[in-house]
Amino acid sequence: MNKRDSDFTATEGGGPGGAADAGERNIAPATHSPHAPATPGPAMGVSRPHESARAQVAGSATYVDDIPEVKGTLHAAPILSTVAHGRLRGVDTSAALALPGVRGVVLAADIPGDKMLATFVGDEPIFATGTVQHIGQVIGLVVADTVMQARRAARLVKQNIEALPALLGPRAAHAAQSYVLPKVVVRRGEPEAALKKSVHTLTGQLEVGGQEHFYLEGQVAYALPMEQDQWWIYSSTQHPGEIQHWVAHALGIENNAVTVECRRMGGGFGGKETQAGHMAVWATLAARKFKCPIKLRLDRDDDFMVTGKRHPFAYDYSAGYDDTGLLTALQLTMLADCGFSADLSGPVADRAIFHADNAYFLSDVEITSHRCKTNMQSHTAFRGFGGPQGVIVIEAILGDIARKLGLDPLDVRMRNLYGVGQRDVTHYQMKVEDNILAPLLSKLEQTSQYRRRRKAISAWNAKSPVIKRGIAITPVKFGISFTATFFNQAGALVHVYTDGSVQVNHGGTEMGQGLNTKVAQIVADELGVPFERVRSTAADTSKVPNASATAASSGTDLNGRAAQYAARNVRDNLASFAAGLDGCGAGAVRFQGGKVISPKATRSFDEVVKAAYANRIQLWSDGFYRTPKIHYDKTTLTGRPFYYFSYGAACSEVAIDTLTGESRVLKVDILHDVGTSINPAIDIGQIEGGFVQGMGWLTTEQLLWNDKGLLTTHAPSTYKIPATGDIPEHFKVDLWHEANPEDNVGGSKAVGEPPFMLAISVYEALREAVGAVKAGNELVVMVAPATAENVLKAVKYR
């Protein structure tokens, strides 16, 4: 490839408070300021550093494995099934127990509560009993003095398993009628009749692989027994409340006896939403048996083997269209590989249905979703939560239609966009009210110089027999809210201390995405204090109970608004107090720049806080928020599951080597809708990171199971996430500057997941490059991810 590097250069272009007694009013301010220097102006709308950035760079940010271990802590390691499917006759632990430092094992018989995890479906055992259902399923734990002793011993446990036939893919599971949940069908119009009337029809299949989360910090939990059968759990988790419930369920105790704390995660991406619960339950069961603190940290290989991935999908479709590329009918079957248990597969597969339209109006459509049970890891949440698996299939279909008609794929995509005032209702009966798709795509078309570059690429391909290039623009319309409506709620606490400093605690978790930073910005502006005066603290089930997972891109929407309401309550208390001092209405009191300003006086925030405390005014409050407007019928998947949509588009240019199948992303231009950005730097970082992660899903990150059901790509040596060299030289991100029309915090929109799907433009550009190998309108059949091998297969197929 190196000899052709020059050929891979991108084409050019573009409580109310009471009044104070007279003798209590004059409280002198502090003579010095111990807090950090304040920056002027509002906190929101400004690119501020991540609240933990300095600590992370200095290596002083504490993760679960950095917490000093309590005296007497032991370590656990999992015993993993070596068979994909079989009857578990027993285990022989004698060799493991003979090793120095080994204290014992934990098996299903040691579970005092329910032996099944407290999942929604209740179909997943805590430890395998009776049968094993995938290679890597946890049968039990070995507990030892050190982590390495525990890991070595776990590998010496002998397993007596009678092997049974295994199902190792969604098509095999579908053929065997093996499912974790019933199928779901969403239908509008008369797709069968519309297909028959269509000018043109297209049938096809698509296979899209899964994806490993590959968080930098692996799965870890530290369980500490407390007095009176209480427990403190440190967990790297996106959902402390669920950890609390799962641990209590397994121990047979009440939730109030379990406290879960998470200061931060070293990445999550959905992989620590339910999966972290397993670690916490296992560690706590060991701690109960051995009556001491237990830490359980998976090594990377075991993490791969134990935890679920993004769901692989297979698709069958028939589409009707006219001479302009307008879709006139669609029948689509989705086969979701759920692994051996349901986990979150129901809502993941539901969201894939919701997003099978992406940005396009589907007039006559039927979507059938099968949730297939296979003998693999139980697949789980991953950034996009089924959305990417819905978006990619409609984009592939439109790309194929353009190819068959000899049209520019962008024109076909523009032709099928949702309209304004017409063609504006989704297949699940939600009206698209804030549609900016057409102007956003048109602007990106211009700023990226798409048309000129497409012509230049065509000329290049005509002269270059080996290196072929492709370019594509694809949009995204992503619904924001949990599809499980009851999760769309949040709580927060805001404390103002007597020195004027502020602490906020909320139900969300920080995994590097900047949630705590944004929440601090929101609270700072609500109280009119500098950003530097606000500190976010660890997620803690003893502070904010029953919190939802930090997921569905809604962390700031939910927790930021709850924190804003909490801060507003404190501000109202202070305003009423200041109004009593100055004989004015509370509404006339302003909080700005660290000052409390009434028509009669200006005081420092710190001075007012001290005086308010002396007058027994409440300086803390809770806040609660529930997302408005949303509703939908779970049985028919119709209604309004989302509060609003986020939009975006990306233009990607690629090159492939037709002799080796190697590819490179040359140039990326992104225009993305974040509403009024609370923190532009963090938002742009999320867009860049989401895109690159999506690019990895569709190019290099391949999960391979052999015919025995063993995941063979279970380490960095065989599973390739994007590296610095994979980042395109030209990588430009612009923000669409328009406030969220819905009443969301700060006029912002969610940003965590939608950019991930912009990377589908890379996949479509790669298909364009493959299509340039030979003239004509033959379809490009290419399995995703588009690894070098799969690109080469697609080239040869041409």
Side-chain angles (χ1 to χ4, degrees):
M1 179 67 83
N2 289 338
K3 65 182 179 180
R4 302 191 191 95
D5 274 355
S6 61
D7 291 335
F8 279 95
T9 304
T11 53
E12 294 181 1
D21 293 335
E24 297 176 320
R25 295 179 183 177
N26 299 316
I27 307 248
T31 57
H32 66 284
S33 178
H35 47 77
T39 52
M44 288 197 289
V46 178
S47 292
R48 298 187 179 276
H50 190 286
E51 51 90 22
S52 295
R54 290 181 180 272
Q56 287 167 322
V57 170
S60 60
T62 301
Y63 295 85
V64 172
D65 202 33
D66 300 319
I67 296 170
E69 292 171 4
V70 176
K71 183 179 179 180
T73 294
L74 300 178
H75 298 264
I79 304 165
L80 307 184
S81 170
T82 57
V83 176
H85 188 207
R87 295 187 179 92
L88 179 60
R89 302 299 191 186
V91 295
D92 180 356
T93 62
S94 56
L97 294 173
L99 284 184
V102 175
R103 299 297 188 95
V105 298
V106 184
L107 299 170
D110 297 309
I111 303 171
D114 196 329
K115 290 178 169 50
M116 305 297 285
L117 289 167
T119 63
F120 288 117
V121 179
D123 63 343
E124 186 173 349
I126 294 173
F127 296 126
T129 54
T131 61
V132 293
Q133 300 188 71
H134 74 91
I135 294 177
Q137 185 175 3
V138 175
I139 297 171
L141 306 172
V142 172
V143 175
D145 292 340
T146 71
V147 63
M148 294 311 297
Q149 288 171 335
R151 289 174 181 174
R152 292 190 197 103
R155 283 155 175 77
L156 294 179
V157 174
K158 296 178 182 179
Q159 304 169 16
N160 181 1
I161 301 174
E162 177 191 343
L164 297 171
L167 294 170
L168 300 178
R171 294 197 182 274
H174 184 47
Q177 300 289 286
S178 175
Y179 309 110
V180 298
L181 293 164
K183 73 176 180 181
V184 173
V185 180
V186 174
R187 179 184 175 95
R188 175 166 68 180
E190 298 294 336
E192 298 88 355
L195 269 173
K196 291 179 180 179
K197 294 178 182 178
S198 295
V199 178
H200 306 281
T201 58
L202 173 72
T203 61
Q205 294 184 328
L206 179 65
E207 314 291 326
V208 177
Q211 187 178 21
E212 165 63 32
H213 301 86
F214 219 105
Y215 21 64
L216 289 176
E217 176 205 30
Q219 296 280 0
V220 59
Y222 187 25
L224 286 78
M226 310 296 283
E227 64 169 272
Q228 301 180 67
D229 199 23
Q230 296 179 80
W231 298 85
W232 196 283
I233 315 296
Y234 294 101
S235 174
S236 181
T237 177
Q238 294 175 238
H239 199 176
E242 186 167 76
I243 302 287
Q244 179 190 41
H245 175 52
W246 282 25
V247 167
H249 184 80
L251 294 182
I253 60 179
E254 294 187 317
N255 288 359
N256 63 6
V258 180
T259 299
V260 180
E261 179 181 329
C262 177
R263 174 58 182 91
R264 61 174 61 84
M265 289 164 274
F269 311 115
K272 295 178 180 177
E273 187 170 346
T274 61
Q275 304 295 286
H278 302 69
M279 314 303 141
V281 168
W282 296 333
T284 308
L285 289 170
R288 179 186 179 276
K289 180 173 182 177
F290 291 94
K291 296 179 173 54
C292 67
I294 296 285
K295 182 185 285 186
L296 173 57
R297 175 172 56 85
L298 297 184
D299 70 9
R300 184 65 66 177
D301 292 87
D302 286 354
D303 204 323
F304 265 85
M305 301 304 294
V306 171
T307 62
K309 325 296 176 193
R310 181 184 298 281
H311 292 65
F313 268 57
Y315 313 83
D316 299 303
Y317 56 85
S318 297
Y321 56 99
D322 66 15
D323 289 334
T324 68
L326 180 69
L327 274 168
T328 52
L330 177 64
Q331 288 184 304
L332 172 63
T333 298
M334 296 177 165
L335 306 178
D337 186 341
C338 303
F340 82 97
S341 70
D343 192 80
L344 294 172
S345 294
V348 167
D350 288 352
R351 191 176 271 268
I353 294 173
F354 289 139
H355 288 83
D357 61 338
N358 190 21
Y360 314 111
F361 178 75
L362 305 176
S363 58
D364 295 85
V365 58
E366 182 179 67
I367 302 172
T368 303
S369 170
H370 295 280
R371 294 92 197 273
C372 302
K373 180 176 181 176
T374 61
N375 293 114
M376 296 179 178
Q377 291 82 354
S378 186
H379 298 310
T380 192
F382 201 129
R383 197 176 199 165
F385 201 79
Q389 294 97 316
V391 172
I392 192 171
V393 64
I394 193 66
E395 292 298 341
I397 290 169
L398 292 180
D400 285 347
I401 289 171
R403 194 164 291 108
K404 294 293 285 186
L405 294 173
L407 299 176
D408 187 324
L410 179 59
D411 291 334
V412 173
R413 291 185 167 99
M414 295 289 285
R415 180 77 175 90
N416 283 281
L417 290 177
Y418 277 103
V420 176
Q422 59 181 346
R423 291 169 49 87
D424 60 354
V425 178
T426 68
H427 55 294
Y428 49 91
Q429 304 304 312
M430 177 174 173
K431 188 171 183 178
V432 182
E433 297 175 331
D434 56 343
N435 187 355
I436 58 170
L437 285 163
L440 188 148
L441 275 167
S442 296
K443 183 174 181 180
L444 181 63
E445 175 192 341
Q446 296 167 7
T447 58
S448 67
Q449 301 182 45
Y450 168 81
R451 303 287 182 182
R452 191 187 69 76
R453 289 166 59 194
R454 182 173 169 83
K455 289 181 180 178
I457 287 169
S458 181
W460 165 278
N461 288 336
K463 297 178 181 179
S464 174
V466 176
I467 305 300
K468 299 293 184 180
R469 295 181 181 176
I471 189 171
I473 290 181
T474 61
V476 65
K477 173 187 67 66
F478 192 80
I480 303 301
S481 290
F482 286 97
T483 52
T485 305
F486 63 88
F487 278 143
N488 294 285
Q489 58 177 299
L493 295 172
V494 169
H495 299 169
V496 176
Y497 294 94
T498 54
D499 64 350
S501 64
V502 182
Q503 184 185 93
V504 56
N505 184 274
H506 55 85
T509 53
E510 176 63 57
M511 62 195 87
Q513 84 279 38
L515 172 60
N516 282 349
T517 307
K518 285 187 173 183
V519 171
Q521 289 178 273
I522 293 164
V523 169
D525 276 358
E526 194 65 29
L527 294 175
V529 300
F531 170 70
E532 292 77 10
R533 303 300 306 281
V534 183
R535 184 181 297 273
S536 297
T537 59
D540 183 333
T541 57
S542 68
K543 292 184 178 180
V544 177
N546 312 318
S548 300
T550 305
S553 301
S554 60
T556 301
D557 290 7
L558 295 173
N559 298 286
R561 184 66 104 184
Q564 185 180 50
Y565 287 172
R568 187 170 298 172
N569 291 337
V570 177
R571 188 195 67 190
D572 289 348
N573 291 350
L574 291 172
S576 295
F577 173 68
L581 294 176
D582 295 340
C584 64
V589 179
R590 295 184 293 116
F591 294 73
Q592 183 178 338
K595 304 292 184 182
V596 179
I597 306 164
S598 80
K600 293 185 178 180
T602 296
R603 301 174 178 87
S604 73
F605 182 81
D606 296 10
E607 179 185 1
V608 173
V609 166
K610 285 182 182 238
Y613 171 75
N615 283 272
R616 298 177 295 173
I617 305 300
Q618 182 176 329
L619 298 176
W620 62 271
S621 184
D622 64 319
F624 179 79
Y625 174 71
R626 53 180 290 181
T627 308
K629 296 186 177 182
I630 54 174
H631 61 89
Y632 90 103
D633 187 328
K634 291 190 298 183
T635 58
T636 62
L637 263 66
T638 58
R640 179 174 178 161
F642 309 121
Y643 187 30
Y644 62 87
F645 294 106
S646 287
Y647 303 94
C651 177
S652 295
E653 183 182 336
V654 303
I656 66 169
D657 185 324
T658 60
L659 300 182
T660 67
E662 292 172 278
S663 67
R664 184 173 295 174
V665 181
L666 306 175
K667 193 171 185 179
V668 173
D669 295 271
I670 294 173
L671 180 57
H672 196 72
D673 165 37
V674 298
T676 300
S677 178
I678 293 172
N679 190 317
I682 283 177
D683 286 346
I684 291 171
Q686 285 290 294
I687 294 166
E688 292 172 341
F691 182 91
V692 171
Q693 192 173 50
M695 189 175 76
W697 172 50
L698 293 173
T699 57
T700 62
E701 297 187 45
Q702 187 172 33
L703 293 165
L704 289 173
W705 286 264
N706 66 16
D707 58 0
K708 302 296 184 183
L710 173 67
L711 178 62
T712 60
T713 52
H714 56 79
S717 59
T718 50
Y719 185 84
K720 300 298 183 181
I721 63 173
T724 54
D726 297 306
I727 309 303
E729 186 175 346
H730 175 99
F731 194 0
K732 183 172 179 283
V733 176
D734 291 319
L735 302 180
W736 181 267
H737 293 288
E738 186 175 340
N740 189 338
E742 295 292 350
D743 182 21
N744 205 45
V745 61
S748 66
K749 285 191 174 184
V751 72
E753 292 172 298
F756 183 96
M757 282 145 283
L758 297 178
I760 293 171
S761 61
V762 171
Y763 177 76
E764 284 299 288
L766 287 167
R767 294 212 304 154
E768 286 290 296
V770 172
V773 171
K774 186 172 68 174
N777 62 354
E778 289 184 39
L779 300 183
V780 174
V781 179
M782 185 167 66
V783 172
T787 60
E789 181 180 7
N790 286 336
V791 169
L792 193 58
K793 286 180 179 178
V795 168
K796 299 303 182 185
Y797 179 85
R798 293 285 293 170

